[in-house]
Amino acid sequence: MPKTVSLFVPCFVDQLQPQVAIDTVKVLRRIGYTVHFPEDQTCCGQPAFNSGFWDEARPCAERFLKIFGASDVIVCPSGSCTSMVKSHYPELLKDTPSYNDAVTLGQRVYELSQFLIRVAQISDVGSWFPHSVTYHASCHATRELGIHDEPLTLLKNVRGLELRSLPHEEDCCGFGGTFSTKFGMISAAMGDTKAGNIEATKAEYVTSIDPSCLIHLAGIIGHTRRSSKPIHLASILAQEAQ
Amino acid sequence: MSTIPLQEFLRRATEKCADLTHRATIQRNIDSYDVAVAKGKQRFSDWEAARSRCSEIKAEAIAHLDRYLEQFEGKVKERGGHVFWAETAEDARQYIAGLAQSRGVKTIVKSKSMVTEEIHLSGALEKQGAAVWETDLGEYIVQLRNEPPYHIVTPAMHLTRVQIAQTFREKIPSEMNGEEPPQLVAAARRKLRKAFFSAEMGISGANFLVADAGMVAISTNEGNGRLTTTLPRIHVAITGIEKIIPRLSDLATLWPVLATAGTGQPITTYSTLIGGPRQPGETDGPEEFHVVLLDNGRSQVLASREHREMLKCIRCGACLNVCPVYRQIGGHAYGTTYQGPIGSVLTPNLKPSAGFEHLAFASSLCSACGSACPVRINLPHQLLLNRRDAMAKTGQSGSRTMFRLFRWTAMSSVRFRVMGWLSRKGISTAKALGIAGSKLDPMRPWTQYRNGPEVPTQTFREWWRTHGRQ
Amino acid sequence: MAGSNPQRERILARVRAATADNVPTTAPAASKAPIFAEIPDPLERFLRECAANLTEVICTRDSMESAAACDRVLQSLPPGELFFQDTPVFRSWASHVDSARTVRWSSGGPPSESTQATFTLAHGFVAQTGSILSSSLCGGRGASIVAPCHVVFGTTEQVVADIDAALQIANHDLLSASYVGLISGSSRTADIEKILVQGAHGPLRVVVILQAAS
Ligand code: SF4
């Protein structure tokens, strides 16, 4: 049976953090999957939806359903964007002809760690990363998708990796999309609190399954001259054992 | 629409976000709350089932609100109590102030009630010459400081013992004989005891209105609720119409859940039910008992299928405690009676023209509130709905244009590539010019507080062109 | 104050119109999953919970021991007035009271501001939370709240497993009372820096004299 997955790459990952998607491809290929990337994809519509512009978000959602309609399994290296499709498309498309498609497609979308553990049933992808790492549990992944142990299980199986637990690991990093610019002072204060907790672990790296948290944390950590390095889970998993 | 609440919000939020002492005080408080609640939940064999049960009880009550309110009213009247229905804050104020005036009331003791804050009752009573004493310690402290409550459950959470001692030294020096918490509590007790024994009227809120028993349920730890409803000649209980619950037996779940979510306690020390004035043959108790049922926008929220669930709220305060925004900006920044997530959700719906739409946007949508809410109100979803409603209402032409452009971009991968290229060029140009973070930087809302992202030379889709096919 | 309240009709009309869509609400029966663990030994649990919520419990075997326990409590009290619920058991115990003290009976009115301790019965004791089920029928409303010390006398037969059982008693016997309440420990506050301080406005000390069932 051919093992194929379709890759859903969040718009900002495509533009600003391509390495996250590249590493996702590497990991998936390493465990024997063929990766398909529908090149017509753009943005899932979350920025408009979260800003209250549902009419602007709806066509993006419908477009997404068309592009990924034929895919059996869709994998995304972001909890937040996965949750947009899984948890919010049905609400957004309620009372439209696309509602049923939204519900059924939602059942086929997985965040990367969720896919690896629950679908591929692989908890060791054979990676090697000889560093201390702490894990930030991102909001939508934790509370909307119910992802708790999956990333930790994967991290524990990385050779050489020393996992350090993060105080208040489930507290928000402060990003929140347009919130980060509309209410920058609050967002930054939350980020600063998070960065302080990360610093307290003295870990070399802070990892997450949400690239947007990592962009925010990188910005805060750099701005406040702290030293932990944000890195996406996929990029740790992509490091080959030597 | 007024922009003053927004400007005030931004000003206060900016101030608090920079106040690291405030941040530490709140964090300390919340840390002990977290520990107590985690322990408290272990007393339940199934906390999630308890949440579901509470949610169902409240949903049922709200679905048949009319029936249960009438049932409640009938029972209270049977015991000789009065029930007054108030459509607006003004109606409720007038009724209570009129009552105080006609009965020659000079001294009033209050036990904690957020609804009296909502209708600004104390000011109205003081205006007609009555002395009004808040008797919940936290409320009393903020009253002495002329501040509104900082938190719906713990009104003085933002203050340290040193600040409280300072306030007491200034306001009630004769009662002071030490500055440690037990001595501060004793000072307040002495002062308020005189008020309790001289007051002619006691005003309380209600945590629940029990329909089948016709009783108001009031939870307090200090016992001030008991004294307020026992000693004065007149007892007035005021609360929102949504506080109704169908059955006395529902309290077997609601009391422990409220206490656990609120403070981590197994049950509040005094879980009290009041059904009327002193009955024939009873030793003591008020001669008059009045219940004021306040609408003040609630029936309007009820009319919205989408928003209705927010009326399930039991005001436990859990969503405030777990909210990372609340912890940074504190309770006063909101400028509302109800703070935190429930306040951001409720206020624009209870007071549609008061200009509080921005509160729904002042959230990272982290969902911590939704996971904490013991009656399963989907608070993050309500925030999203409020955002949608706000944008539909105000138009916000600037944002609308931006999101039209966003849609136009996202509807074609060619346009998406072009716009992506332009944005990346923008970021790297600002960096190259050395203006990143300065007033000239178009990315300033981001770069004012954070470094801008590193711009890669290649997008993923460019990489895919060369490496996509294996 | 009585008389017409036209707002009543308007509010009810709006409420009825708002809920006319009759969105089905899940019946409470839908979630009957147990929420609390069973309480195999209510008495043991009651004692444990009281220890945790700072209620003093004195277990006695018979009425002699109870009277003796009452004497010991009386001796520990500061000088001043006492208040008793007017029942035969307290009439007999009160005969031991030092004649220097003023004694008030619930039949003669409520306790006063300076009452040092109140003595009442209870309708039941709740194992789940270490609570006392009280009401205005237990010597009045003030009897359980105004004095710095509240002493309650009851028997182990009155111990019920949980709040639900206590509310059933309330539902059967106490709906005519103007006040019913569960009292779970001494008066307390944590409003200053979340530090627990006992003895806010109500009793600093709550004592239960619990006599074994005969
Ligand atoms: S919304 Fe929920 S968590 Fe917040 S105060 Fe109300 S009941 Fe408590």
Side-chain angles (χ1 to χ4, degrees):
Chain A
M1 197 181 77
K3 297 198 293 181
T4 304
V5 297
S6 297
L7 189 63
F8 159 27
V9 177
C11 54
F12 60 94
V13 169
D14 176 47
Q15 295 293 315
L16 294 172
Q17 299 161 287
Q19 198 58 45
V20 169
I22 293 168
D23 289 332
T24 303
V25 173
K26 282 191 192 158
V27 171
L28 291 168
R29 282 180 177 164
R30 192 193 303 151
I31 61 167
Y33 280 82
T34 303
V35 181
H36 169 65
F37 175 70
E39 287 183 55
D40 229 12
Q41 63 180 287
T42 57
C43 171
C44 65
Q46 176 165 223
F49 179 72
N50 281 357
S51 299
F53 291 98
W54 292 24
D55 291 341
E56 278 66 31
R58 209 168 280 116
C60 301
E62 281 161 348
R63 189 170 181 276
F64 186 100
L65 295 182
K66 268 199 212 95
I67 289 171
F68 286 97
S71 310
D72 291 333
V73 178
I74 303 154
V75 177
C76 173
S78 154
S80 185
C81 300
T82 303
S83 184
M84 176 65 197
V85 174
K86 232 180 163 64
S87 324
H88 299 296
Y89 273 12
E91 165 83 18
L92 180 61
L93 298 170
K94 202 170 64 186
D95 307 322
T96 76
S98 312
Y99 174 77
N100 286 334
D101 289 346
V103 173
T104 52
L105 184 130
Q107 291 156 356
R108 310 199 302 272
V109 191
Y110 299 91
E111 176 283 324
L112 175 65
S113 71
Q114 207 179 24
F115 171 78
L116 293 173
I117 300 283
R118 294 192 208 168
V119 182
Q121 308 209 338
I122 289 181
S123 52
D124 183 351
V125 295
S127 31
W128 181 77
F129 193 69
H131 300 282
S132 55
V133 175
T134 192
Y135 169 70
H136 158 61
S138 52
C139 298
H140 296 166
T142 306
R143 285 177 284 270
E144 290 182 359
L145 298 178
I147 297 174
H148 295 280
D149 296 339
E150 294 86 339
L152 294 170
T153 307
L154 290 162
L155 285 167
K156 281 175 192 150
N157 285 312
V158 173
R159 272 166 276 300
L161 187 148
E162 182 210 340
L163 188 60
R164 299 200 180 159
S165 80
L166 177 63
H168 303 286
E169 62 166 17
E170 291 187 356
D171 281 5
C172 179
C173 75
F175 173 60
T178 51
F179 165 74
S180 63
T181 52
K182 275 191 175 164
F183 297 95
M185 64 297 196
I186 309 176
S187 162
M190 288 159 67
D192 186 49
T193 304
K194 189 90 212 179
N197 286 330
I198 294 168
E199 191 176 35
T201 68
K202 299 201 171 72
E204 292 165 75
Y205 289 88
V206 53
T207 191
S208 167
I209 55 179
D210 264 290
S212 52
C213 303
L214 294 166
I215 291 194
H216 185 242
L217 284 172
I220 294 280
I221 289 172
H223 198 78
T224 55
R225 297 180 200 288
R226 289 178 163 109
S227 61
S228 289
K229 288 177 285 241
I231 183 171
H232 191 277
L233 176 72
S235 298
I236 292 180
L237 299 182
Q239 307 277 322
E240 297 259 13
Q242 290 177 350
Chain B
M1 201 200 348
S2 150
T3 56
I4 291 168
L6 171 58
Q7 286 161 357
E8 274 296 287
F9 178 79
L10 290 171
R11 187 182 63 72
R12 295 200 201 108
T14 307
E15 193 182 299
K16 285 296 169 207
C17 285
D19 181 348
L20 297 183
T21 315
H22 173 263
R23 190 190 290 178
T25 305
I26 302 309
Q27 190 63 51
R28 234 189 350 262
N29 263 289
I30 303 288
D31 282 348
S32 56
Y33 167 85
D34 284 346
V35 171
V37 171
K39 215 172 130 206
K41 284 182 184 170
Q42 287 171 6
R43 299 177 62 95
F44 292 78
S45 55
D46 191 342
W47 172 250
E48 293 307 316
R51 289 176 73 204
S52 300
R53 180 91 183 95
C54 292
S55 168
E56 284 158 6
I57 293 167
K58 290 294 293 184
E60 185 198 353
I62 284 157
H64 306 290
L65 197 57
D66 54 332
R67 208 170 74 203
Y68 289 128
L69 284 169
E70 287 184 292
Q71 190 186 8
F72 170 81
E73 178 188 41
K75 296 274 176 183
V76 169
K77 284 184 165 170
E78 276 173 28
R79 288 193 208 89
H82 303 278
V83 177
F84 180 79
W85 303 62
E87 276 185 295
T88 63
E90 176 60 23
D91 296 332
R93 271 198 308 267
Q94 264 179 20
Y95 179 79
I96 299 170
L99 197 63
Q101 197 146 46
S102 69
R103 305 296 195 270
V105 170
K106 303 262 179 309
T107 305
I108 298 170
V109 283
K110 283 184 67 205
S111 79
K112 201 171 150 22
S113 150
M114 290 311 294
V115 167
T116 59
E117 298 288 335
E118 177 184 334
I119 66 168
H120 304 290
L121 181 62
S122 297
L125 294 168
E126 280 162 358
K127 214 182 269 164
Q128 62 182 41
V132 181
W133 296 84
E134 291 291 350
T135 63
D136 170 83
L137 179 61
E139 287 282 347
Y140 180 58
I141 293 166
V142 293
Q143 186 189 34
L144 288 178
R145 295 170 62 91
N146 278 318
E147 287 175 9
Y150 181 89
H151 185 288
I152 58 175
V153 175
T154 41
M157 190 170 96
H158 58 307
L159 300 170
T160 61
R161 71 181 90 177
V162 176
Q163 290 169 297
I164 295 166
Q166 167 91 30
T167 301
F168 279 18
R169 265 202 310 274
E170 282 164 25
K171 306 281 178 162
I172 50 167
S174 60
E175 308 291 349
M176 292 277 283
N177 61 8
E179 311 212 333
E180 286 305 300
Q183 293 152 340
L184 296 171
V185 173
R189 175 185 161 116
R190 278 192 292 275
K191 189 79 189 168
L192 291 169
R193 215 164 157 77
K194 293 171 202 153
F196 276 125
F197 280 91
S198 59
E200 303 93 353
M201 180 183 269
I203 299 176
S204 74
N207 297 91
F208 306 102
L209 302 166
V210 186
D212 68 349
M215 294 181 124
V216 302
I218 302 166
S219 298
T220 72
N221 280 313
E222 298 175 8
N224 60 315
R226 292 286 322 279
L227 291 172
T228 301
T229 59
T230 295
L231 297 173
R233 230 169 50 224
I234 306 161
H235 170 207
V236 181
I238 172 164
T239 198
I241 51 174
E242 83 285 11
K243 288 293 172 70
I244 202 93
I245 57 167
R247 294 158 297 264
L248 195 58
S249 58
D250 295 330
L251 291 173
T253 317
L254 287 166
W255 268 342
V257 166
L258 172 63
T260 301
T263 61
Q265 286 174 282
I267 188 168
T268 312
T269 308
Y270 298 99
S271 299
T272 299
L273 293 156
I274 304 284
R278 174 184 183 177
Q279 299 295 291
E282 288 189 349
T283 310
D284 54 1
E287 292 153 27
E288 290 183 47
F289 174 55
H290 300 256
V291 181
V292 178
L293 300 175
L294 181 71
D295 183 340
N296 207 27
R298 288 163 175 78
S299 56
Q300 180 184 298
V301 175
L302 185 67
S304 157
R305 264 186 201 216
E306 284 179 330
H307 290 311
R308 186 172 296 168
E309 64 162 340
M310 59 180 81
L311 296 177
K312 292 192 297 187
C313 175
I314 57 173
R315 306 280 189 269
C316 71
C319 58
L320 284 66
N321 296 333
V322 302
C323 176
V325 172
Y326 179 89
R327 291 187 212 166
Q328 297 295 342
I329 68 175
H332 289 151
Y334 292 83
T336 54
T337 304
Y338 306 101
Q339 315 85 6
I342 185 62
S344 301
V345 157
L346 208 49
T347 313
N349 290 288
L350 284 179
K351 309 206 292 186
S353 45
F356 287 103
E357 283 75 12
H358 58 276
L359 292 180
F361 295 89
S363 159
S364 65
L365 297 175
C366 79
S367 286
C369 48
S371 305
C373 178
V375 289
R376 292 195 188 281
I377 299 172
N378 193 339
L379 290 154
H381 186 235
Q382 291 297 331
L383 289 167
L384 282 168
L385 293 174
N386 276 4
R387 289 181 178 195
R388 180 202 62 190
D389 296 349
M391 288 302 111
K393 194 163 105 181
T394 63
Q396 289 269 336
S397 53
S399 312
R400 186 161 300 275
T401 310
M402 197 177 96
F403 280 104
R404 291 229 169 102
L405 179 67
F406 163 85
R407 178 176 72 183
W408 179 82
T409 305
M411 291 307 280
S412 139
S413 58
V414 176
R415 292 197 290 264
F416 175 81
R417 281 207 302 273
V418 174
M419 295 299 271
W421 182 84
L422 285 172
S423 312
R424 290 189 297 129
K425 265 279 163 287
I427 300 171
S428 44
T429 309
K431 261 200 191 149
L433 293 176
I435 59 166
S438 79
K439 293 234 161 73
L440 292 172
D441 182 4
M443 288 271 293
R444 181 166 155 86
W446 176 275
T447 50
Q448 187 182 0
Y449 298 104
R450 321 155 183 88
N451 290 355
E454 299 296 328
V455 177
T457 50
Q458 195 185 29
T459 65
F460 174 72
R461 59 191 71 220
E462 284 160 4
W463 178 86
W464 182 260
R465 290 263 151 95
T466 46
H467 300 82
R469 280 152 279 274
Q470 281 178 304
Chain C
M1 283 306 135
S4 74
N5 181 194
Q7 303 176 43
R8 175 185 192 275
E9 297 318 312
R10 291 202 294 270
I11 292 172
L12 279 171
R14 277 203 302 275
V15 166
R16 285 192 193 106
T19 50
D21 57 13
N22 238 331
V23 174
T25 50
T26 16
S31 65
K32 272 292 179 207
I35 289 169
F36 298 104
E38 287 229 17
I39 298 170
D41 182 349
L43 180 60
E44 179 274 335
R45 174 73 176 263
F46 178 71
L47 296 176
R48 194 149 44 90
E49 294 295 333
C50 286
N53 72 25
L54 308 172
T55 300
E56 294 171 41
V57 185
I58 308 174
C59 292
T60 61
R61 276 173 299 191
D62 52 37
S63 55
M64 289 261 290
E65 278 192 23
S66 299
C70 178
D71 274 349
R72 283 201 304 280
V73 174
L74 281 167
Q75 271 148 33
S76 71
L77 294 170
E81 194 175 290
L82 302 175
F83 173 93
F84 290 89
Q85 179 180 347
D86 200 345
T87 67
V89 61
F90 291 133
R91 283 278 171 190
S92 91
W93 291 0
S95 56
H96 302 234
V97 171
D98 180 346
S99 57
R101 290 182 189 268
T102 314
V103 171
R104 285 172 182 268
W105 292 94
S106 61
S107 49
S112 76
E113 190 177 344
S114 56
T115 299
Q116 286 303 318
T118 54
F119 293 74
T120 72
L121 303 178
H123 302 290
F125 301 96
V126 186
Q128 182 187 357
T129 45
S131 311
I132 298 159
L133 174 62
S134 180
S135 85
S136 42
L137 308 177
C138 300
R141 290 199 197 182
S144 52
I145 193 70
V146 297
C149 176
H150 178 205
V151 183
V152 181
F153 172 64
T155 67
T156 52
E157 277 163 319
Q158 289 179 286
V159 176
V160 297
D162 53 18
I163 303 170
D164 195 44
L167 290 168
Q168 279 175 33
I169 297 175
N171 223 346
H172 284 127
D173 306 337
L174 307 175
L175 289 190
S176 63
S178 68
Y179 153 73
V180 179
L182 290 180
I183 298 171
S184 315
S186 57
S187 156
R188 62 197 55 205
T189 183
D191 276 355
I192 301 174
E193 291 185 7
K194 285 240 171 350
I195 296 163
L196 183 73
V197 177
Q198 263 190 280
H201 297 293
L204 173 69
R205 192 173 165 208
V206 178
V207 184
V208 175
I209 300 175
L210 193 64
Q211 186 176 304
S214 48

